[in-house]
Amino acid sequence: MSLTVNTVATLRDAAYALNDRARYLGGGTLLMRAVNYGDQAFDTIVRSRETDRTIRSEGQGIRIGAGATMTDLLASRDAEALHPVARVIGGPAVRNMATVGGNLFAAPPYGDLATAFLALDATVQMADGQSMPMESFLSARARSRGLVAAVMVPRTGPQEFRFAKVTRIKPKGVSMMSIAARLPGAGGSLGDVRLAFGTMGPMPLRAKAAEQALRGRSLTEDGIREALRVCCDGLQPGTDELASEWYRREVAPVHLKRLLLGRGR
Amino acid sequence: MMPKTPLSFTLNGSETALFVDPGANLLDTLRRGAGDLTPKLGCAQGTCGACTVLIDGEPHLSCLTLAETVEGRDIATTGGLADGPDLHPLQQAFMEGFAAQCGFCTAGMLMAAKALLDRRPNPSRDEVIEAIGGNLCRCTGYEPIVDAILTAAARMQGRSA
């Protein structure tokens, strides 16, 4: 494949340079892999000399530049709620390279951070100024040709957010599934719960029936029983080298129960 | 045919200048362009860590690094670890502790370990395991590797392991 690298000065220029045959280079963990394996779907790499790796408080949440790496997240006190997620993504080299913006496009079994963002009701800011909810962005990402500028994450207390990555390899492997939960009122009666599964469909998906079943309930065996029963409703798990669809459906309630009741393995 | 791009960087302390094809990765550039065969091509997808090099002191996967992005930066590979005939303490500990079996993962392991010891000279066993968490050893000889890194750390601190 004959490739062209189009290096531009600003993110805005990069957004203009993107088209159906061009891909933006973030950290390289997705795009260079495609290059190495001869992906014919694009013939141009667009890279920008300007990157946005800033992470800062803004309004009622934090703004994370799309160019921030997993290592950047781990170094940021503002992003502390996301540390358990960033810490289990890859090894140090991957974390030095993989970006927040790139993770939004990562196909299963990757995309743990995007799963967390979905549960946290984050918003995607595009380079053209447009904003959209994470759920809308993820459902349309295969058709997206815009450039992600940043992710806005509503501030969430550490007690309100839980994340679990289920792998077949210890201490670390890719996700057989990941589960992220925002649990307001976790100490008593649950409020507006958001529950997201990664690697249980072509993109991170919400378990809306389980969310509904948890509202007004408490995090007890009784309180979560109905949510466990319906937790796979609306999910689209597939079969791959890590697990079959059947296995994923069987174990999803087990791992969700551990997460909700705070019983790690 | 697309024109090549001029590229200059520091490789193990030496100024290096060469031309790269559009889309070339750093691993190919080091091996074929600069003649440094120490970083290895394993999976070409970021899973195995055999191609790990340090860019400005931090571990990166050279197979997933677009070569053009290292313009002006400092690259360190296993090829620069030894000081003439004197092996780096990590290399010495790997050799003495039989931490290399087939040896294919060793170059990546050494650079991941060097990045750790540069930052944390006195790491715990868990920190060593975390530091090489992105490096696969198909011989599954992880225990000697972890032991060797801890031994090197102790020697570099003037302690006994």
Side-chain angles (χ1 to χ4, degrees):
Chain A
M1 177 171 61
S2 179
L3 269 174
T4 301
V5 179
N6 182 6
T7 302
V8 298
T10 68
L11 291 167
R12 181 173 289 269
D13 292 341
Y16 282 126
L18 289 174
N19 57 52
D20 284 347
R21 297 286 296 165
R23 299 288 183 273
Y24 180 75
L25 178 73
T29 54
L30 299 176
L31 186 60
M32 290 306 290
R33 173 182 174 158
V35 170
N36 290 345
Y37 281 79
D39 191 333
Q40 301 292 311
F42 60 94
D43 55 24
T44 302
I45 295 173
V46 176
R47 62 179 281 252
S48 169
R49 295 194 187 282
E50 175 193 43
T51 57
D52 183 357
R53 295 173 60 173
T54 58
I55 301 171
R56 62 171 185 265
S57 291
E58 195 171 292
Q60 296 302 305
I62 58 168
R63 180 191 183 280
I64 306 171
T69 64
M70 301 304 134
T71 301
D72 293 335
L73 282 181
L74 288 168
S76 165
R77 191 172 292 178
D78 287 328
E80 196 170 5
L82 293 166
H83 287 188
V85 188
R87 197 174 291 124
V88 294
I89 293 175
V94 166
R95 291 198 293 273
N96 284 335
M97 300 172 71
T99 64
V100 167
N103 201 271
L104 305 188
F105 293 91
Y110 308 107
D112 296 324
L113 188 65
T115 303
F117 284 150
L118 181 59
L120 289 168
D121 199 13
T123 302
V124 181
Q125 287 185 345
M126 306 299 287
D128 63 5
Q130 192 185 357
S131 287
M132 65 183 84
M134 184 61 65
E135 189 169 16
S136 308
F137 175 85
L138 291 173
S139 65
R141 69 180 181 181
R143 300 184 299 279
S144 173
R145 287 292 175 265
L147 183 63
V148 175
V151 175
M152 295 292 302
V153 186
R155 194 170 297 284
T156 305
Q159 303 304 317
E160 288 188 0
F161 177 67
R162 296 185 190 177
F163 176 80
K165 176 170 179 164
V166 183
T167 68
R168 307 296 292 269
I169 302 168
K170 296 296 176 189
K172 192 174 288 186
V174 294
S175 291
M176 193 267 285
M177 73 178 62
S178 57
I179 314 173
R182 190 185 69 178
L183 302 164
S189 176
L190 290 165
D192 187 17
V193 171
R194 282 178 68 102
L195 196 56
F197 279 81
T199 316
M200 290 290 275
M203 76 283 290
L205 294 168
R206 286 171 66 187
K208 293 183 181 178
E211 290 176 356
Q212 189 62 38
L214 285 171
R215 283 183 193 125
R217 308 302 300 265
S218 59
L219 291 176
T220 61
E221 295 257 1
D222 277 350
I224 67 171
R225 185 166 290 119
E226 177 62 11
L228 299 183
R229 191 182 69 78
V230 299
C231 73
C232 286
D233 288 7
L235 303 184
Q236 307 161 39
T239 295
D240 59 21
E241 299 84 348
L242 297 170
S244 66
E245 176 191 351
W246 173 85
Y247 182 78
R248 286 191 161 98
R249 288 187 186 278
E250 285 293 308
V251 301
V254 177
H255 292 292
L256 179 58
K257 180 178 180 180
R258 288 174 179 164
L259 182 76
L260 294 177
L261 297 183
R263 298 175 186 164
R265 280 193 291 181
Chain B
M1 192 170 153
M2 297 301 297
K4 290 177 181 279
T5 302
L7 178 66
S8 61
F9 53 88
T10 303
L11 175 59
N12 297 322
S14 298
E15 293 298 324
T16 302
L18 35 72
F19 290 90
V20 295
D21 289 320
N25 64 46
L26 178 60
L27 177 64
D28 271 346
T29 302
L30 292 173
R31 289 179 62 87
R32 296 184 192 182
D36 183 345
L37 300 177
T38 57
K40 304 297 186 220
L41 173 63
C43 65
Q45 57 177 285
T47 303
C48 75
C51 68
T52 303
V53 302
L54 306 190
I55 301 178
D56 295 336
E58 297 297 332
H60 285 69
L61 300 168
S62 59
C63 79
L64 297 184
T65 300
L66 180 69
E68 294 177 35
T69 62
V70 304
E71 173 69 38
R73 300 178 77 179
D74 186 53
I75 314 296
T77 71
T78 307
L81 280 184
D83 183 8
D86 299 323
L87 295 179
H88 186 279
L90 277 164
Q91 292 172 304
Q92 189 71 34
F94 267 60
M95 186 179 71
E96 293 173 4
F98 300 102
Q101 293 185 47
C102 81
F104 199 82
C105 72
T106 305
M109 289 282 185
L110 286 168
M111 298 319 289
K114 183 173 189 304
L116 171 69
L117 299 190
D118 286 349
R119 194 177 65 254
R120 289 189 68 80
N122 188 20
S124 68
R125 193 171 191 87
D126 283 348
E127 286 172 327
V128 171
I129 291 170
E130 173 59 35
I132 61 169
N135 296 76
L136 298 183
C137 168
R138 291 304 303 268
C139 307
T140 67
Y142 292 103
E143 288 297 315
I145 292 170
V146 174
D147 290 342
I149 295 168
L150 289 168
T151 297
R155 287 178 181 166
M156 292 166 75
Q157 293 289 296
R159 294 179 288 106
S160 57

